Amino acid sequence: MNPPVTHSVDADGIGWITFDDPAGRANVFNPATQAALRAATAAFADSAGSGPAAVPLKAVVVISAKEKIFIAGADLKWLSRLADARVAAAVARDGQELFNQLAGLKVPVVCAIHGACAGGGYELALACAWRIASDAKETVIGLPEVGLGMIPGWGGTTRLPLLIGVPAAVEHMLKAALVPAAAAREAGLVDEVVPAAELKARAKAVALKLAAGGLSARTAPAAAPADFFAPQRKRAATRSPGQPAPLALLDAVEQSAGQPLAKALELEAEAFGRVSAGEVAKNLMHVFFLKDAVKRLTLDAWFTAPAAKAAPAGPFQIIGIIGAGVMGSGIAHWCATRGFGVMLCDTERDAIERAITVIRGLFDEMVKRGSLTHAAAHKAMGSIGVTTSLEDFDGCDIVIEAIVENVAAKQKLFAELSQIVQPDCVLASNTSALPIEELSAGAKGPERIVGLHFFNPVGRMPLVELVLSPHTTRANADRALTFVKALGKSPVVCRSSPGFLVTRVLFFYLNEACRLWEQGVPTEVIDRAMRDWGWPMGPMRLIDEVGVDVSDFIYGEMKHYYPDRFTGATVCHRMLAAGLKGRKNGAGSGFYAYAGGETLNPAMAPFAPPAVQAMDAKTIADRLNGVMIAETKRVLAEGVLKGPDEADLALLLGAGFPAFRGGLMRYAKSIGAG
């Protein structure tokens, strides 16, 4: 088997360092890759070395033979096993030394980037004299380490500021995002962007030109303003509470400014060691692994019999959607975006017209963000048909209902729909809480009915709960799972049970927050405690966002299904009676008022208890998190999910659980409550 990095010299004196790990689809840095790169660099260390026919080595080009990956950074499984800060700092020093050897070659080095160039892959590129990227959509570039609880450790915090200046470098590293080649060129991350077919030839031409001294020296960027770092630290502390990496990054960049390279790299290595071996980094890497594992999800754990050997039905092409409200519109838009044909149905023509306006607006937003071209948006919009008749669903491959959360209404719809669609058409409910077997009662072919619980807004929320009833067959479940993946969503499979996972656990949590409020703990105290703990939004603010009506309805459902354990708060019911509906659908007030900003709502005063109860932030967080932990443990004990990792992923993606905590059940285990 070939090593992951090979080297050669062509007849023109160009040395080629080629990354192509035979053991994987992606190139990543690990000890084996580093050893192979070290051997290649050592072979070129003497610029008097010869190529074929004793042609002197003139320059070196670093390139990847992978179709979609240049270098995806360091192997996270390797990094996740770093024992402590000392070991992690040593790993940083080893990588720095390796890239210094590359940068120190006596001939110029050009980096030819095609495919994802992330983390350590881009730090290698920074050690080169010139960077050229292909214009392929697969080519994305940057330093995302902060998003994983780490900082760049192989020269990134030193070389990027020297290349594009401290403010731009800090902005890029704190965003922790990979950017397309054109944006990378505009930001100065790369020097050129060329068509993918021309990348290798252009890299060689530039290498020869550099060897001949034909490219001018760079102009050093200006130093950062004296007052740059203080507001950056304040902003990082506000945006990323409990996360040490952003502050460690700022420290490394500030302290290394103006220092000799060796000193700057040592500061980086020490900072890398501190954060990379820490709990937050390990938690965020765990979250990364959870998200990655879902790509390989199968239904083997849910069905004792293996998948049928018979030829499977073809992939879905035409998607029927019933209900043109917020969820139906969002699902229709996303399906069209992913290339499916869509038929959207509602009994009211006005609702359809509103939905089309909403969907067109969603496409316009995508075009403005650059995530979709105008032509692609126009084509996707044209793939959506509308109707007021269920009869038009006779050609659909799957029909998803997104009507009002009412068992009788959904039962009636499925009973009627199952008489119209083809026998192999899968039927799905977007219900957030109602058991699928109740909804399929009276329907023809209950074995083809599943739950597909999308989350609002559909275009931004990655989770879909795939809910299996006792009647659902493997073949239909497999087709639904394939569809969810084709939508680019992350599926979590649940056994049908009231509230499934996310709704059940989340609304036990929100209800407990309302009970605290009814006991006299003020809105802002509850919300601040949970934001400071890491939640992106406090529970009272979240109720406003979800809708006071929805919250009150689900409290009722939880009370109906779990009467012995769910003691429903009454504040949402009283708010509805007073016309306080939260923020959903343009409503203007709930726990907060939103006219002209976001302030505490004085209209809540009549509902508040007479006395304010003092409660510290830790007590609030422990109580609310404790309710979620207890309910999730019940969900797992009941077999609604197969394991705690699934619960963690669902609550991370569907409820906004803070990723730096690693997941609810991982957090519970860390405090002895798992």
Side-chain angles (χ1 to χ4, degrees), residues 46-405:
D46 182 2
S47 62
S50 299
V55 176
L57 182 70
K58 298 175 182 177
V60 172
V61 175
V62 181
I63 199 163
S64 167
K66 299 294 188 188
E67 292 184 4
K68 296 183 179 181
I69 301 289
F70 175 69
I71 304 171
D75 182 348
L76 291 183
K77 291 181 180 178
W78 171 41
L79 295 186
S80 70
R81 295 192 293 267
L82 298 179
D84 54 37
R86 181 186 59 81
V87 173
V91 166
R93 294 185 188 101
D94 286 346
Q96 292 170 351
E97 180 185 5
L98 177 57
F99 291 170
N100 282 345
Q101 291 171 2
L102 183 68
L105 290 176
K106 296 177 183 179
V107 296
V109 182
V110 173
C111 191
I113 302 167
H114 172 73
C117 176
Y122 182 59
E123 288 178 290
L124 178 147
L126 285 170
C128 299
W130 199 258
R131 289 156 289 278
I132 308 174
S134 81
D135 63 357
K137 65 179 181 179
E138 293 88 1
T139 300
V140 288
I141 299 165
L143 298 173
E145 287 89 343
V146 168
L148 291 169
M150 297 179 283
I151 67 169
W154 292 340
T157 66
T158 295
R159 289 191 171 101
L160 187 60
L162 291 174
L163 180 67
I164 65 174
V166 166
V170 165
E171 180 183 8
H172 173 79
M173 290 186 282
L174 287 179
K175 281 185 177 179
L178 302 181
V179 298
R185 171 67 186 91
E186 184 177 354
L189 302 182
V190 297
D191 299 294
E192 299 181 46
V193 175
V194 301
E198 301 174 14
L199 178 64
K200 189 171 183 179
R202 177 57 184 165
K204 181 172 180 175
V206 168
L208 289 169
K209 193 170 184 180
L210 281 169
L215 292 175
S216 59
R218 301 179 190 278
T219 302
D227 60 351
F228 174 75
F229 285 98
Q232 290 290 330
R233 285 191 176 87
K234 184 176 180 181
R235 190 175 299 115
T238 301
R239 292 179 177 177
S240 307
Q243 300 188 52
L247 295 175
L249 174 78
L250 292 167
D251 288 344
V253 174
E254 182 178 28
Q255 293 168 14
S256 65
Q259 296 288 344
L261 180 61
K263 175 63 174 176
L265 291 177
E266 180 57 26
L267 289 168
E268 177 187 78
E270 292 173 357
F272 176 87
R274 287 193 298 272
V275 296
S276 297
E279 180 182 10
V280 169
K282 294 195 182 292
N283 283 343
L284 288 169
M285 283 188 273
H286 174 71
V287 171
F288 177 90
F289 297 143
L290 292 180
K291 293 178 179 179
D292 187 60
V294 81
K295 300 172 186 176
R296 299 179 294 278
L297 178 68
T298 72
L299 294 169
D300 291 347
W302 290 92
F303 294 90
T304 54
K309 297 291 185 181
F316 297 153
Q317 295 180 329
I318 307 299
I319 316 302
I321 298 167
I322 304 175
V326 172
M327 292 305 300
S329 300
I331 297 168
H333 160 259
W334 193 249
C335 288
T337 300
R338 302 295 291 193
F340 293 96
V342 176
M343 180 62 69
L344 178 62
C345 176
D346 200 285
T347 56
E348 297 185 13
R349 176 62 62 174
D350 287 348
I352 292 175
E353 291 177 358
R354 287 192 299 271
I356 291 300
T357 299
V358 168
I359 293 169
R360 187 172 287 113
L362 292 172
F363 279 122
D364 289 344
E365 288 178 12
M366 294 182 76
V367 172
K368 289 178 182 177
R369 293 197 308 267
S371 56
L372 206 64
T373 66
H374 180 78
H378 181 75
K379 180 180 179 181
M381 191 73 206
S383 70
I384 301 175
V386 297
T387 183
T388 57
S389 172
L390 295 182
E391 299 292 334
D392 289 322
F393 287 125
D394 60 347
C396 290
D397 300 303
I398 182 173
V399 178
I400 306 167
E401 69 79 13
I403 66 171
V404 63
E405 286 284 86

